[in-house]
């Protein structure tokens, strides 16, 4: 996004445009790289791209020879870029997406007013617009085997600035959650325990607070049920929660905990036998996943309403296949009914 033109010395009819914040950041990276003293936005960008590579390598190794993620890179004209890594019709994953996105843009007054509720640094009624930066790593894995759960992860950083690049507000958000079609209690326990151990290193209050937030956020009101068995979710974590470095460390540790929290579950389930009826139930549950993402998810809504966004990358979270069946009810005392009971009344797993 270009700033207002600056009048050169010795004013005249010719004007030069000041470089945008995106241009200045690109110059910083070219000239100095990204170090511990770089702006937080550049450090977060560097971290999530490193994590994307690490996760994709681990998943490709699990898939085996012949299965590779398609890797698309894209540029955003107003500033920013992204990398979309997607695998479809794999041996283990029916569809898997691991995306990073970097966005520079301008927030209009209505958007700033909404954000003021959670961020005191934006409490200036004279501001008509603000530059913003957003960086995020998003991941959704839909395994082929209905015994293996779908998993979602997103960690992000948001920053607002004046047109001159002076910081106004910043915050971290994110989380991860597990969505099984067939519930194995030990899988939910392992997933939650791994997350809790990570949270506890940064604050004993984090896990219960963010677990409860996750249960409330990933709830489908029109169905009266949760999307899955939860995990953690948080948003708008700024200086009122902790200092910037501490919250960056927390977000990093949560992201690094993903592979240990999920891969052991996946490895236990991907070779289990299943029936056509069990596959059909998985497709019904994926229908619920689609409903939540398109109707209620704030990230999907933000992405689709951001000018110049890449729709294919935003919608990579949707499964390759799903099913809607009129007035379907699971059999009494079945595994499917057991799952529905837990989705309607979330439980504590650790």
């Amino acid at each position: 996004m270009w700033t207002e033109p600056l009048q050169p010395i010795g004013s005249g009819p010719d004007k030069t445009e000041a470089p945008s914040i995106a241009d200045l950041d690109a110059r910083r990276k070219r000239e100095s790289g990204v170090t511990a003293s770089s702006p937080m936005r550049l450090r977060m960008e560097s971290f999530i791209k490193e994590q994307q590579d690490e996760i994709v390598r681990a998943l490709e190794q699990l898939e085996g020879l012949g299965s590779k993620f398609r890797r698309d890179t894209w540029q955003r004209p107003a500033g920013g870029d992204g990398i979309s890594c997607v695998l479809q019709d794999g041996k283990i994953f029916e569809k898997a997406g691991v995306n990073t996105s970097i966005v520079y843009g301008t927030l209009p007054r209505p958007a700033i007013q909404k954000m003021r509720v959670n961020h005191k640094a934006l409490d200036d009624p004279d501001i008509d617009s603000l530059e913003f930066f957003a960086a995020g790593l998003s991941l959704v894995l839909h395994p082929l085997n209905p015994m293996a759960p779908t998993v979602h992860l997103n960690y992000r950083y948001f920053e607002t600035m004046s047109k001159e690049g002076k910081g106004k507000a910043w915050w971290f958000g994110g989380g991860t959650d597990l969505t099984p079609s067939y519930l194995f209690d030990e899988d939910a326990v392992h997933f939650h325990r791994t997350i809790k151990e990570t949270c506890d290193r940064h604050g004993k209050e984090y896990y219960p607070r963010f677990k409860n937030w996750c249960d409330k956020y990933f709830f489908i009101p029109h169905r009266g049920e949760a999307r899955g068995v939860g995990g953690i979710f948080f948003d708008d974590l700024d200086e009122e929660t902790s200092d910037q470095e501490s919250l960056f460390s927390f977000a990093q540790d949560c992201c690094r905990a993903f592979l240990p929290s999920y891969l052991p579950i996946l490895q236990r389930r991907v070779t289990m036998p299943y029936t056509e009826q069990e596959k059909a139930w998985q497709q019904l549950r994926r229908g619920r996943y689609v409903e939540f993402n398109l109707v209620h998810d704030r990230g999907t809504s933000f992405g689709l309403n951001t000018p110049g966004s890449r729709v294919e990358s935003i919608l990579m979270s949707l499964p390759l296949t799903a099913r809607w069946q009129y007035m379907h009810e699971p059999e009494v005392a079945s595994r499917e009914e057991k799952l529905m009971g837990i989705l309607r009344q979330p439980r504590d797993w650790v």
Side-chain angles (χ1 to χ4, degrees):
M1 189 72 187
W2 292 104
T3 57
E4 291 297 319
L6 297 179
Q7 184 73 25
I9 297 174
S11 60
D14 294 326
K15 297 182 179 181
T16 59
E17 291 183 328
S20 68
I21 297 171
D23 293 332
L24 293 174
D25 282 351
R27 184 187 304 168
R28 287 190 186 100
K29 288 184 285 187
R30 287 194 306 268
E31 295 177 352
S32 307
V34 179
T35 68
S37 61
S38 297
M40 180 57 70
R41 57 184 178 271
L42 300 188
R43 294 167 65 193
M44 185 65 173
E45 175 185 352
S46 176
F47 172 73
I48 61 175
K49 288 180 177 179
E50 290 171 1
Q51 285 297 295
Q52 180 184 36
D53 289 342
E54 181 177 335
I55 291 169
V56 167
R57 281 195 301 268
L59 298 179
E60 286 183 339
Q61 184 176 3
L62 197 63
E63 274 278 343
L65 295 175
S67 294
K68 293 288 185 181
F69 279 76
R70 171 176 171 170
R71 187 181 183 95
D72 293 332
T73 59
W74 49 272
Q75 298 289 324
R76 188 168 178 272
D81 57 51
I83 304 171
S84 297
C85 297
V86 178
L87 185 150
Q88 296 182 149
D89 291 317
K91 300 169 187 174
I92 292 176
F93 298 108
E94 189 168 283
K95 186 179 179 186
V98 187
N99 292 353
T100 53
S101 62
I102 310 300
V103 177
Y104 292 83
T106 303
L107 291 173
R109 181 186 284 270
I112 298 169
Q113 290 173 336
K114 288 183 179 179
M115 292 178 178
R116 281 187 185 132
V117 176
N118 297 311
H119 303 285
K120 293 181 179 178
L122 297 177
D123 192 17
D124 184 347
D126 296 327
I127 296 177
D128 287 323
S129 66
L130 277 175
E131 303 301 299
F132 78 88
F133 168 91
L137 168 65
S138 299
L139 169 158
V140 179
L141 309 179
H142 294 290
L144 181 67
N145 192 317
M147 301 300 153
T150 287
V151 70
H152 158 259
L153 169 149
N154 174 273
Y155 290 104
R156 56 192 178 273
Y157 174 74
F158 197 96
E159 182 176 299
T160 65
M161 302 152 285
S162 67
K163 290 183 180 295
E164 295 74 35
K166 183 179 179 181
K168 291 287 186 181
W170 57 266
W171 59 90
F172 290 90
T176 182
D177 64 290
L178 197 68
T179 305
S181 298
Y182 287 92
L183 179 62
F184 296 86
D185 285 6
E186 61 267 34
D187 292 351
V189 170
H190 171 81
F191 188 76
H192 278 266
R193 179 178 291 140
T194 305
I195 297 169
K196 182 180 184 300
E197 289 171 353
T198 302
C199 289
D200 285 352
R201 291 197 296 270
H202 295 268
K204 294 293 185 181
E205 75 281 7
Y206 278 8
Y207 174 75
R209 175 186 172 191
F210 300 151
K211 192 268 186 190
N212 183 57
W213 201 341
C214 183
D215 288 340
K216 291 179 178 179
Y217 181 80
F218 290 107
F219 188 79
I220 310 172
H222 63 272
R223 294 289 190 180
E225 63 192 54
R227 187 173 79 174
V229 296
I232 60 170
F233 175 85
F234 56 88
D235 203 5
D236 299 311
L237 297 193
D238 57 15
E239 65 273 4
E240 293 192 10
T241 301
S242 189
D243 63 89
Q244 192 177 53
E245 287 296 330
S246 296
L247 290 175
F248 182 41
S249 177
F250 172 61
Q252 287 178 302
D253 282 356
C254 286
C255 195
R256 293 187 182 112
F258 168 71
L259 291 175
S261 73
Y262 182 67
L263 286 193
I265 297 172
L266 190 63
Q267 290 166 332
R268 285 196 294 264
R269 307 302 169 202
V270 292
T271 58
M272 293 183 68
Y274 60 88
T275 66
E276 289 184 10
Q277 290 79 12
E278 289 167 337
K279 185 66 178 176
W281 173 252
Q282 179 199 51
Q283 299 302 293
L284 287 171
R285 295 312 309 164
R286 287 191 176 161
R288 299 291 203 268
Y289 206 93
V290 171
E291 290 175 26
F292 176 85
N293 281 27
L294 293 183
V295 177
H296 300 293
D297 185 62
R298 287 165 51 186
T300 302
S301 177
F302 177 82
L304 293 177
N305 286 287
T306 299
S309 61
R310 191 171 191 266
V311 175
E312 287 294 325
S313 296
I314 296 166
L315 297 182
M316 71 86 190
S317 63
L318 301 182
L320 194 61
T321 59
R323 177 185 176 97
W324 284 265
Q325 185 173 329
Y326 183 69
M327 297 298 288
H328 180 273
E329 291 290 338
E331 293 183 11
V332 176
S334 65
R335 294 184 65 194
E336 294 85 355
E337 187 185 54
K338 175 190 174 184
L339 174 69
M340 292 307 300
I342 291 173
L343 297 182
R344 290 173 181 141
Q345 187 61 48
R347 70 164 65 166
D348 292 329
W349 294 102
V350 292

